Amino acid sequence: MSVLRDLYQMQLVDNEKDAKTQRLATVKAGLGPSEDVARAKQAASETQGSLDQLRTQLRDLELEIAGLHNKLKANQDRLYSGRVRNPKELSNLQEEAAALHRRESELEDQQLELMITIEDEEAELAECQARLLQIETTWREEQASLQAEKADLEVDLAALEQEISAKRGRLGAADVAMYDDLRSGLSGVGVALLKRGICQVCGTDVPTGVARAVERGEGLHHCPTCNRLLSGG
């Protein structure tokens, strides 16, 4: 039966349209900002911020050490200038020098520890930046691929719409209405292919008489289980 074949062919095109429409929705959902990229950027930003703070601490420490060196130089210059002869003042200068040397040693130890910490943080930042670059590169490639797929799907769907419109135009209004009713009530699949007497949608073994009638194209027959219109292909 020509009408049944046309309905089945239209079902195939509708199925393809449905699949591509669903895929297009998935593709669109995949376009846009990436949470992985955002997290990698955040990690790199936080590490950079921590490193900046450490470098600021190091600069402050270096300034303090430089100031200490100036005080120590002034102390030593006065101590060994020969101008100070008062024993108590000389003793005070020596005590001050000892205290400055102790403080100098403490600050230099802190400086060394801070420099080591900065080196570790710089290594961590380099890893974060490399990870970010890799994630961003992968994301950009995926976005380009999705954009290309989106364009192809939109072209395909436009062509399918035209094909469906042409097929519906060749069918009678009553046949199209029956087909639409079946599709709307049966998860979008109103026509089922029958092979070797078995409905290819629900797997029912239909009665022999019905199967033979479908194969010969005699009348319209429905699957006794899923109620879909049966087509011999």
Side-chain angles (χ1 to χ4, degrees):
M1 177 178 282
S2 175
V3 170
L4 189 55
R5 283 197 303 270
D6 288 344
L7 288 174
Y8 179 66
Q9 291 302 315
M10 189 160 69
Q11 174 73 78
L12 294 178
V13 179
D14 274 326
N15 288 348
E16 184 179 359
K17 177 194 168 188
D18 291 345
K20 291 194 172 183
T21 298
Q22 185 175 0
R23 176 57 188 167
L24 180 59
T26 301
V27 167
K28 286 181 176 179
L31 291 170
S34 164
E35 291 185 3
D36 289 340
V37 171
R39 282 193 292 268
K41 282 184 177 179
Q42 181 66 23
S45 177
E46 289 176 356
T47 304
Q48 181 68 66
S50 175
L51 181 58
D52 290 343
Q53 288 181 355
L54 290 170
R55 286 171 174 167
T56 298
Q57 291 175 25
L58 180 61
R59 285 193 295 271
D60 291 343
L61 193 57
E62 288 170 344
L63 288 173
E64 187 176 354
I65 291 172
L68 191 65
H69 286 166
N70 290 335
K71 288 182 180 180
L72 188 57
K73 183 178 184 304
N75 171 280
Q76 296 297 288
D77 288 345
R78 182 168 175 75
L79 182 63
Y80 296 108
S81 66
R83 294 192 299 272
V84 179
R85 292 183 173 82
N86 185 295
K88 183 169 180 56
E89 188 176 354
L90 286 172
S91 177
N92 289 341
L93 285 172
Q94 290 170 344
E95 289 177 2
E96 181 187 35
L100 289 172
H101 279 302
R102 287 194 299 273
R103 181 58 178 162
E104 179 186 42
S105 178
E106 290 173 1
L107 292 178
E108 287 177 347
D109 286 345
Q110 292 177 25
Q111 183 185 37
L112 180 59
E113 291 176 2
L114 195 52
M115 291 173 66
I116 293 172
T117 302
I118 286 173
E119 286 182 2
D120 292 341
E121 201 71 10
E122 286 173 339
E124 176 65 23
L125 178 60
E127 289 181 9
C128 287
Q129 290 173 335
R131 193 157 51 244
L132 173 59
L133 177 60
Q134 181 181 13
I135 292 172
E136 277 191 320
T137 299
T138 300
W139 172 74
R140 292 182 190 281
E141 290 173 351
E142 289 174 349
Q143 290 292 294
S145 176
L146 288 173
Q147 286 286 4
E149 186 179 0
K150 175 177 174 288
D152 289 342
L153 286 168
E154 288 172 343
V155 170
D156 290 346
L157 283 169
L160 289 170
E161 287 284 5
Q162 291 182 350
E163 185 177 355
I164 290 170
S165 179
K167 288 182 179 298
R168 293 173 77 90
R170 290 194 294 268
L171 290 164
D175 293 326
V176 171
M178 175 188 64
Y179 171 79
D180 288 341
D181 286 343
L182 287 170
R183 267 178 58 83
S184 65
L186 295 168
S187 303
V189 181
V191 183
L193 185 64
L194 185 71
K195 279 188 178 181
R196 295 185 292 277
I198 298 174
C199 172
Q200 297 300 296
V201 174
C202 71
T204 294
D205 192 351
V206 305
T208 302
V210 173
R212 288 176 179 172
V214 171
E215 290 170 359
R216 290 195 294 265
E218 297 174 351
L220 298 178
H221 301 274
H222 295 261
C223 173
T225 300
C226 68
N227 201 39
R228 289 178 173 86
L229 194 60
L230 294 171
S231 171

